[in-house]
Amino acid sequence: MSSVLVVGDCHVTNGQDLRRFDWLSSLIADVKPQRIVLIGDFLTMNCLSAWDMNKRKNMEGRRYQLEIEAGKEALNRLLHGMTMLRAKQQLQKVKMYNPELIYIEGNHEERLTRYLENDPTFEGQVSIESDLRLSDDGWLWVPYRSYYVCDSVGFTHVPFNKRGPICGADINKKCADVTIVSCVYGHTHEAHYSNYRRHGHANLQHILNIGCFFEESHDEDYAEGRIKGYWRGVIMLDLHGDGQFDFTTISITKLQEKYK
């Protein structure tokens, strides 16, 4: 059995209160998951929003470097507890905690790719993977639309059908229709769990949509006035092999109460 901490869409941008990553850091040091998966849309990339690109008022003050610096601070806070734990373990001459770190690219990070397709002036000079210095801390970069697979469970930001990313009602059924192995994904900011029996397969296919990891005060402007079913927190998975897993939800409220 192996353990995975899955962190939903964080939507980090400059000007945010990043205290949630301090709480998350303490959780990581406590439970010591074997893998930590950022499921995508860790950054918002407001500076590259196609929706606001021609709205000069909305784009005022938005800068790529500011969002990158916010992302770096969030990652540093997330790993701080682990870093302190490892320093203590080194002094005690015991095996150091060293989880696998997986950063999955979401559609918001992919905004940079789409921007460079329209204007390749800075192609090769900017990269979220390199600008966040992910390799320095050992993060594995998984490109948008790709999967990280562990114990026959596929982790991705959002599954795709023939036309594009799945969306709308019965989203877990749509995920099952375009995948074979069990699947864990983000993107919707909601939490959904389903399982399905496939003909010829001995085990159930588990489908888990994991919610988001940002506070209500960080909701984007487009969501104002809309009915939102956002679930805010992180999820711990215990993988049993062959695509089977159990999971535990840990809300932001619970993290705050325990670690503030």
Side-chain angles (χ1 to χ4, degrees), residues 103 107 114 121 130 133 144 170 191 194 198-199 217 220 230:
Y103 186 116
N107 56 290
R114 284 179 270 135
T121 303
S130 60
R133 298 184 178 180
Y144 185 49
D170 298 322
S194 308
R198 287 187 172 275
H199 184 70
S217 59
E220 294 186 81
Y230 294 177

Side-chain angles (χ1 to χ4, degrees), residues 1 44 46 70 89 99-100 102 115-116 149 160 164 182 185 216:
M1 186 170 70
T44 299
N46 278 324
Q89 291 171 328
E100 293 183 35
I102 298 94
Y115 178 86
L116 292 173
V149 180
F160 272 66
S182 293
Y185 68 104
E216 189 170 356

Side-chain angles (χ1 to χ4, degrees), residues 130-187:
S130 60
D131 292 339
L132 286 178
R133 298 184 178 180
L134 295 178
S135 62
D136 290 357
D137 290 316
W139 290 98
L140 171 68
W141 173 269
V142 179
Y144 185 49
R145 307 186 194 187
S146 298
Y147 287 76
Y148 169 77
V149 180
C150 179
D151 290 342
S152 297
V153 178
F155 297 83
T156 192
H157 180 62
V158 59
F160 272 66
N161 57 30
K162 292 180 179 179
R163 295 184 178 181
I166 59 173
C167 62
D170 298 322
I171 194 165
N172 274 8
K173 179 61 170 62
K174 293 174 182 178
C175 177
D177 288 343
V178 297
T179 57
I180 296 176
V181 300
S182 293
C183 184
V184 178
Y185 68 104
H187 188 64

Side-chain angles (χ1 to χ4, degrees), residues 29-241:
D30 274 355
V31 304
K32 303 177 186 64
Q34 292 170 279
R35 295 174 181 85
I36 300 170
V37 176
L38 303 179
I39 208 72
D41 286 1
F42 182 79
L43 300 177
T44 299
M45 288 287 101
N46 278 324
C47 62
L48 300 174
S49 171
W51 302 102
D52 291 339
M53 193 65 70
N54 295 319
K55 301 171 185 174
R56 295 177 61 186
K57 182 178 179 180
N58 288 356
M59 294 299 290
E60 186 174 333
R62 296 182 182 182
R63 296 292 184 270
Y64 175 81
Q65 193 58 39
L66 292 177
E67 296 200 59
I68 289 294
E69 292 302 321
K72 287 162 66 175
E73 181 182 349
L75 288 172
N76 288 338
R77 289 192 181 201
L78 185 154
L79 295 177
H80 177 71
M82 183 184 77
T83 301
M84 298 299 290
L85 174 63
R86 294 182 67 185
K88 182 178 179 180
Q89 291 171 328
Q90 187 175 26
L91 288 174
Q92 296 172 338
K93 297 183 179 180
V94 298
K95 184 178 180 180
M96 288 193 294
Y97 172 55
N98 189 31
E100 293 183 35
L101 305 174
I102 298 94
Y103 186 116
I104 298 174
E105 181 184 21
N107 56 290
H108 277 255
E109 285 97 350
E110 206 234 359
R111 284 177 169 179
L112 178 58
T113 299
R114 284 179 270 135
Y115 178 86
L116 292 173
E117 286 173 351
N118 291 324
D119 182 358
T121 303
F122 296 104
E123 187 171 13
Q125 302 300 311
V126 289
S127 161
I128 289 175
E129 180 182 3
S130 60
D131 292 339
L132 286 178
R133 298 184 178 180
L134 295 178
S135 62
D136 290 357
D137 290 316
W139 290 98
L140 171 68
W141 173 269
V142 179
Y144 185 49
R145 307 186 194 187
S146 298
Y147 287 76
Y148 169 77
V149 180
C150 179
D151 290 342
S152 297
V153 178
F155 297 83
T156 192
H157 180 62
V158 59
F160 272 66
N161 57 30
K162 292 180 179 179
R163 295 184 178 181
I166 59 173
C167 62
D170 298 322
I171 194 165
N172 274 8
K173 179 61 170 62
K174 293 174 182 178
C175 177
D177 288 343
V178 297
T179 57
I180 296 176
V181 300
S182 293
C183 184
V184 178
Y185 68 104
H187 188 64
T188 71
H189 304 170
E190 299 179 356
H192 304 276
Y193 172 68
S194 308
N195 53 60
Y196 302 92
R197 176 73 70 184
R198 287 187 172 275
H199 184 70
H201 289 251
N203 295 319
L204 289 173
Q205 180 189 23
H206 297 267
I207 306 294
L208 179 61
N209 187 205
I210 66 163
C212 58
F213 189 61
F214 56 86
E215 298 182 75
E216 189 170 356
S217 59
H218 299 155
D219 286 359
E220 294 186 81
D221 291 342
Y222 76 85
E224 185 176 354
R226 298 187 182 189
I227 297 175
K228 301 185 291 292
Y230 294 177
W231 183 82
R232 306 170 195 273
V234 298
I235 291 182
M236 279 291 303
L237 300 183
D238 290 320
L239 306 184
H240 305 297

